Amino acid sequence: MALRVQKFGGTSVADIERISKVADRVQKAHENKDQMVVVLSAMAGVTNNLISLAGQASENPDKRELDVLLATGEQTTAALMAMMLKSRGLKAKSFLGFQAGIHTDHMSGKARIREIDSQNLRQALDEGNIVVVAGFQGADEQGDITTLGRGGSDTSAVAIAASLNADVCEIFTDVDGVYTTDPRICPKAKKISRISYDEMLEMAILGAKVLQIRSVEFAKKYNVPVHVRSSFNEEEGTMVVNESEDMESPVVSGVTCDLNEARITFKRVPDQPGISAKVFGALADAGISVDMIIQNSRTGGETDLTFTVTMDDFNRAMEISEKVADQINAGEIRTATEIAKISVIGLGMKSHSGVAAVMFKALAEENINIRMISTSEIRISCVILAKYAELAVRTLHAAFGLDKEQ
Ligand code: ADP
Ligand code: ASP
Ligand code: MG
């Protein structure tokens, strides 16, 4: 008897008909004697609608109450699913995040799971129930409801799979698996049958929203085999697993695009020790993480300092930047929000040189100007204007041979 955690995303539970299809699949696995934990997202569009309602209720919605509101999306689908399974004569029980023992920190809207006390879930499974858990939510020390950030149901599922030591965590979504790039942007994208945690992590960090970043971190840390697959067919999807020796390591295995960043430039910053510490210290104190950083050297004892933050943090980052700019006597601040970060990722980069040159040449041939560059052992990222994002993705996908049948 295997223990399977199955997570279904928003499009997979978009209406009653689709929830019923999910119930069919769960029922089948249960009849095969597998123990089942089903983790659900809210119906497609519901989380966005709730955010918009909150915006109508208050200009700056209180974070605690926003989490109470957002968690209702997943509460709805979990209850509907459990009801449906019970009406088919199956034993099932729904759990909200806190009932499932999901303890988080208190960063409303982007809480991190600290630990899972899986006693309730374990007991319900032992009693023969199909366990249905509302994804995307937990509770902090005070018992306040928290949510895990957009796409957080992936993380709920993988963390629950880890805590129950499940045999597999299946992520059912609206694509057949993890592709070489977003199949909605590049029709030539190919499904990857196996990908390492490290590559998947980079892809998630760099904008492939098919899995939430934290879910891949959990999977890697606790060695949870994750199977990303379609909820609309029975085909095998993508296994996300430990890097193994027989795994092919193409130089570039994926291309990603992230439109969710903004650039802030401090012009004419005094070129002195402690300046960067002041700027980035103030941002860090506000819980804002900075992604790329570039500092140009200049003559005359001044430099330009450029960095990127996520769009969600942009307004707060600007408030802080303006204050700090005054304190450090910087010149003006310039911003760009219509930007895209395009990245190529591959384990094979560790042992290959010249990847950056291929990337820059391909972009140059399309007349796409590169604004910022950053690299790590297994990826290269370039910031470009957002209007060229899709062209850049398709160009790089072709340039690194990913268009070809593998
Ligand atoms: P769900 O609602 O099931 O959680 P998401 O919308 O969060 O689904 O994630 C699935 C989407 O991720 C796909 O529809 C696809 O457009 C997008 N995506 C981006 N990059 C990739 C990739 N490399 N492979 C597969 N899907 C990707
Ligand atoms: N419903 C949440 C969202 O739309 C969480 C999720 O679907 O994973 O982001
Ligand atoms: Mg998702």
Side-chain angles (χ1 to χ4, degrees), residues 7 9-10 173-175 177-179 181-184 203 208-210:
K7 177 259 171 177
T173 184
D174 55 3
V175 281
V178 180
Y179 278 67
T181 192
D182 188 341
R184 289 183 208 287
M203 284 185 68
K209 67 168 186 160
V210 59

Side-chain angles (χ1 to χ4, degrees), residues 41-43 46-47 50 68-78 137:
S41 283
M43 293 176 174
V46 164
T47 309
L50 292 170
V68 175
L69 179 70
L70 294 191
T72 61
E74 273 70 10
Q75 176 162 355
T76 306
T77 45
Q137 53 175 276

Side-chain angles (χ1 to χ4, degrees), residues 295-315:
Q295 186 181 313
N296 301 334
S297 55
R298 268 200 168 206
T299 48
E302 289 177 330
T303 114
D304 290 346
L305 186 61
T306 301
F307 55 90
T308 60
V309 294
T310 64
M311 282 300 286
D312 300 341
D313 286 334
F314 178 66
N315 287 338

Side-chain angles (χ1 to χ4, degrees), residues 97-103 115-122 163:
F98 77 90
Q99 296 170 313
I102 300 179
H103 299 292
E115 60 168 291
I116 298 188
D117 174 0
S118 51
Q119 206 184 317
N120 286 349
L121 299 188
R122 183 56 77 189
S163 78

